[in-house]
Amino acid sequence: MFNAARGRRARLFGLAVLVMFLILVVGPWALTKWAESRFTQSLGERVQIERVSFNPFTATAAFSALRIGENGTPMISIESGKVVFSWSTLWQPGIHISEVQLHSPRLHLVFPSSGALNLTTLGEDSSSGNVAPLGIDRIEADDGRIDWQDRRISGKPSLGATDVSVTLHDYQRWRSGHYSASHQSISRQRQPDMLVADGQRDTRE
């Protein structure tokens, strides 16, 4: 009888270890692969994410090393971030997010020799015509960088800004695809803008 009880405890312990392994290892891996596939399909550009995790008790998703676009020079890269979902998403149509925090985001904006700004083409080839409403109460980004290049002009002038912080409130996107936002603030703390054309660099305070 003692051996039977000990055997049951061993099986329960093994089951607990298996469940913890699935939650801590397999869960984030599966969630990361799903997110990469879903966003790649939606945006029409390759999306790579190092890791995605989700805490169901706080309705918070965290991610690291997000890349959108080409491997060498992605149009968007984010070192890490956190998305806090609102519980109202469970009973209201669309997606309601309380807060988005982005650390060290980088935008690489390019006007090609022909065509539109690369960032504006995201999602153009999406096969889904059903756009879910999206509301975000607050978006905050810190330690950001923006690089811009115009390849339509001889010399391919470029502009860069570093240590950019952005706060955006009340972002709304409706089913029609139109969006709005209010109370935007942008600050750049240390580095001046750099304008480069034909190999010449002009520093503007």
Side-chain angles (χ1 to χ4, degrees):
M1 184 174 179
F2 176 76
N3 289 335
R6 186 170 59 180
R8 284 195 298 271
R9 287 196 297 268
R11 286 193 295 272
L12 289 174
F13 177 77
L15 180 61
V17 170
L18 177 61
V19 170
M20 290 298 296
F21 175 79
L22 292 174
I23 293 175
L24 298 178
V25 179
V26 178
W29 175 84
L31 183 59
T32 299
K33 293 302 179 183
W34 175 86
E36 286 182 332
S37 175
R38 182 68 180 88
F39 289 125
T40 295
Q41 181 182 8
S42 299
L43 299 177
E45 290 283 349
R46 185 183 182 189
V47 175
Q48 301 175 79
I49 311 173
E50 183 179 89
R51 178 181 171 85
V52 177
S53 61
F54 183 74
N55 185 335
F57 300 104
T58 61
T60 301
F63 65 88
S64 59
L66 169 66
R67 303 286 186 272
I68 302 176
E70 301 173 2
N71 287 334
T73 311
M75 68 176 73
I76 299 175
S77 62
I78 303 172
E79 184 176 303
S80 61
K82 181 174 71 173
V83 179
V84 182
F85 292 88
S86 172
W87 292 110
S88 64
T89 298
L90 297 175
W91 61 81
Q92 291 182 351
I95 301 172
H96 185 194
I97 295 174
S98 300
E99 184 179 9
V100 175
Q101 295 180 6
L102 307 175
H103 177 62
S104 292
R106 177 170 180 174
L107 294 180
H108 184 71
L109 308 177
V110 176
F111 259 116
S113 55
S114 61
L117 183 70
N118 60 344
L119 195 64
T120 63
T121 63
L122 285 177
E124 274 191 348
D125 299 329
S126 175
S127 59
S128 174
N130 185 19
V131 179
L134 171 65
I136 306 176
D137 295 339
R138 178 184 175 90
I139 303 173
E140 188 172 311
D142 67 274
D143 192 28
R145 178 182 177 91
I146 301 174
D147 294 304
W148 171 84
Q149 185 179 49
D150 194 342
R151 297 177 181 174
R152 302 168 301 175
I153 302 174
S154 176
K156 300 178 180 179
S158 62
L159 186 68
T162 60
D163 202 14
V164 177
S165 297
V166 178
T167 301
L168 181 68
H169 294 272
D170 302 326
Y171 174 90
Q172 297 289 334
R173 185 195 66 192
W174 293 278
R175 290 186 183 275
S176 62
H178 295 90
Y179 63 89
S180 66
S182 61
H183 308 299
Q184 304 176 54
S185 64
I186 301 176
S187 63
R188 180 172 50 80
Q189 299 175 1
R190 290 197 298 267
Q191 296 292 335
D193 290 342
M194 311 297 284
L195 180 63
V196 181
D198 295 323
Q200 300 298 317
R201 174 170 288 183
D202 177 26
T203 302
R204 302 186 178 186
E205 299 291 348

